[in-house]
Amino acid sequence: MRPHRKLSAAAAATLLALTTLTACGGGGSAASTADDQNGKIKIMVGGLDKVIYLPARLTQQLGYFEDEGLHVTLLTEPAGVQATTSLVSGDVQGVVGFYDHTLDLQVKGKQVESVVQFAHAPGEVEVVSNKAAGELTSAKDFKGKKLGVTGLGSSTDFLTKYLAVKNGVQTNEFTPVAVGAGQTFLSALQQGSIQGGMTTDPTVAQIVDKKLGKVLIDMRTPEGSKQALGGPYPSSSLYMNTDWVNSHKDTVQKLANAFVKTLKWMSTHTPEQIAAKMPADYAQGGKALYAQAIKDTLPMFTKDGVMPADGPETVERVLKAFNPNLKNASVDLKKTYTTAFVKKG
């Protein structure tokens, strides 16, 4: 984890400018009772324009937060690890990020839980540049390579390390490079500062479209997840501090209602219909390419927000394979998620 930090006023203002807010007013402390009574919630997303986190912005676009009487501010960070830092430091009430952070935080003494599980597969893709394609043909070839991840300590970093260890490459035998996503990832691949890396759509679709590289390992479907990781891998989720959840159950229930409604909507609409609801600037590679990115990623999402059976066990096994903090630690998986809200809604 990175050191805790507070968002500066300037940074907060910049982040706020990135989103269309539903009706946000003053701030107050993260767990402010006044804010909660007004239904004002701040949620940090580990990349608002990433398709793996699409339900966050789509819920706002569909008006489902407002339907529940909530005024949700969506903030964005380029990687899930920074989003987690914002939650732990009290800047936000929730994070839309990978479920695996809840296990990592538990062994560090922080009790955080997933309250809505968006996905049962990672939605991540390991890509390789065209120049390196001849020497990087599988995870067994990671040794000596520079591989892009969104951020050090992020879920892309976690999964890259697992794929390496699973295929006989130690974590100190390759170099993870924090390159973010989108244009920064594309540039790193193009310039050769990384030979490959892990990213998501719409970045994957742009890499293939621009012929900068190709897909090496595809984890956008449950089948791909099982092949690469040995089982379902619950990833994108809404996770929150357990203490906050227990003291704000009405608000959490409203959030769960809104997100589950979105997941159901997604399951009954086409990629083109979904893309049409999103902000125009999310389709940086063009409307058709963005719709294709959504289509390729849609299989990762759940329809009901419920944690998949055996999912937490897969995540624990993956993390323990390479993470020294978790290797010999005892994790209480039942405390890392709850299905109470999504099943009640």
Side-chain angles (χ1 to χ4, degrees), residues 56-201:
R57 189 56 187 263
L58 183 57
T59 302
Q60 193 173 63
Q61 297 291 102
L62 292 171
Y64 291 162
F65 289 137
E66 285 185 312
D67 288 350
E68 293 289 334
L70 298 173
H71 304 286
V72 176
T73 304
L74 295 176
L75 305 172
T76 188
E77 283 279 16
V81 62
Q82 287 102 327
T84 299
T85 302
S86 296
L87 180 70
V88 172
S89 61
D91 290 322
V92 296
Q93 286 81 36
V95 167
V96 169
F98 266 40
Y99 161 73
D100 52 21
H101 289 293
T102 67
L103 281 73
D104 191 50
L105 287 169
Q106 189 184 108
V107 300
K108 293 173 181 173
K110 307 292 183 184
Q111 197 57 58
V112 173
E113 63 186 16
S114 164
V115 295
V116 183
Q117 196 59 49
F118 297 159
H120 49 182
E124 301 283 355
V125 175
E126 185 71 28
V127 297
V128 57
S129 70
N130 288 333
K131 186 182 285 188
E135 56 180 323
L136 183 51
T137 60
S138 76
K140 293 178 182 178
D141 301 323
F142 281 2
K143 189 173 181 178
K145 303 296 189 296
K146 290 181 179 179
L147 301 174
V149 296
T150 51
L152 301 181
S154 67
S155 296
T156 50
D157 189 22
F158 289 167
L159 288 171
T160 302
K161 286 176 177 173
Y162 174 74
L163 291 174
V165 171
K166 183 189 177 188
N167 288 278
V169 180
Q170 298 306 306
T171 57
N172 62 354
E173 292 182 316
F174 71 93
T175 306
V177 183
V179 292
Q183 191 53 53
T184 53
F185 190 102
L186 295 172
S187 298
L189 201 65
Q190 201 165 16
Q191 294 164 9
S193 52
I194 57 173
Q195 284 84 52
M198 192 171 291
T199 190
T200 61
D201 277 311

Side-chain angles (χ1 to χ4, degrees), residues 303-331:
K303 296 178 182 179
D304 53 13
V306 176
M307 175 66 73
D310 303 325
E313 287 78 9
T314 304
V315 173
E316 182 182 29
R317 177 173 50 74
V318 166
L319 294 181
K320 285 195 170 190
F322 67 85
N323 190 324
N325 292 328
L326 277 97
K327 201 160 193 175
N328 300 310
S330 177
V331 180

Side-chain angles (χ1 to χ4, degrees), residues 190-251:
Q190 201 165 16
Q191 294 164 9
S193 52
I194 57 173
Q195 284 84 52
M198 192 171 291
T199 190
T200 61
D201 277 311
T203 308
V204 177
Q206 291 179 52
I207 289 168
V208 174
D209 182 64
K210 294 175 185 291
K211 296 181 171 55
L212 298 178
K214 65 177 186 178
V215 172
L216 191 65
I217 301 167
D218 193 338
M219 295 178 285
R220 289 176 289 190
T221 66
E223 295 77 21
S225 174
K226 187 174 182 180
Q227 185 177 350
L229 306 173
Y233 196 92
S235 56
S236 307
S237 65
L238 170 67
Y239 61 83
M240 313 177 89
N241 286 309
T242 300
D243 285 345
W244 201 90
V245 171
N246 291 337
S247 59
H248 300 78
K249 289 185 177 180
D250 287 349
T251 301

